[in-house]
Amino acid sequence: MSTPRVLFVCVKNGGKSQMAAGLMRRAAGDAVAVGSAGTRAGTALNAQSVESLREVGVDISGEQPKQLTDEMVRDADLVVVLGSEARVEPVGGTPVEVWETDEPSTRGIEGAERMRLVRDDIAARVEQLHQRLTS
């Protein structure tokens, strides 16, 4: 069986999609090929995203935001869009799944506490996806 390829996408590719990719790499190792990209890629990673993952032993500090291309979508077996802002059109039959991730700021939760809640929500979803892809 070939290795499933998952592409995580958000708007800037500086936070949620990078977090999901880092968490999936930790969960799946070499069992899943992981990428991430942004629909309007930013220039840097979100420092709070990097720090919240470091707290759970995942280092994404060497990553850079990448601009989403049709080729990236086509080459993936599954595209996962994090949050409701990014829009990804299916290319070449690749399924696109949208995760409406927790947004603690709507409840007045900001800073490190917000990022930990976002991280834990994404981590739970990544674990379920990992099971789905590798079972």
Side-chain angles (χ1 to χ4, degrees), residues 11-134:
V11 175
K12 293 182 182 168
N13 190 224
K16 292 178 181 179
S17 58
Q18 291 278 2
M19 293 171 80
L23 289 161
M24 180 60 86
R25 284 187 200 100
R26 178 181 72 177
D30 295 335
V32 177
V34 179
S36 71
T39 55
R40 291 193 308 274
T43 56
L45 297 184
N46 177 318
Q48 288 181 328
S49 295
V50 173
E51 183 54 37
S52 74
L53 283 187
R54 191 175 287 132
E55 290 175 3
V56 296
V58 177
D59 182 9
I60 60 166
S61 61
E63 298 293 328
Q64 290 292 320
K66 292 171 279 308
Q67 180 61 45
L68 181 67
T69 66
D70 284 351
E71 185 178 22
M72 293 165 94
V73 174
R74 192 178 314 110
D75 290 348
D77 294 311
L78 175 65
V79 174
V80 177
V81 179
L82 289 97
S84 55
E85 292 175 33
R87 297 271 182 267
V88 177
E89 293 301 318
V91 178
T94 301
V96 176
E97 203 171 283
V98 177
W99 291 356
E100 294 287 347
T101 50
D102 184 29
E103 192 35 80
S105 60
T106 62
R107 302 188 301 277
I109 301 169
E110 297 293 344
E113 184 183 358
R114 170 187 173 264
M115 202 52 73
R116 284 183 194 108
L117 290 167
V118 170
R119 173 199 68 205
D120 294 347
D121 178 43
I122 293 172
R125 293 165 187 263
V126 162
E127 193 51 51
Q128 289 172 340
L129 179 60
H130 171 235
Q131 297 301 324
R132 217 168 75 205
L133 293 172
T134 56

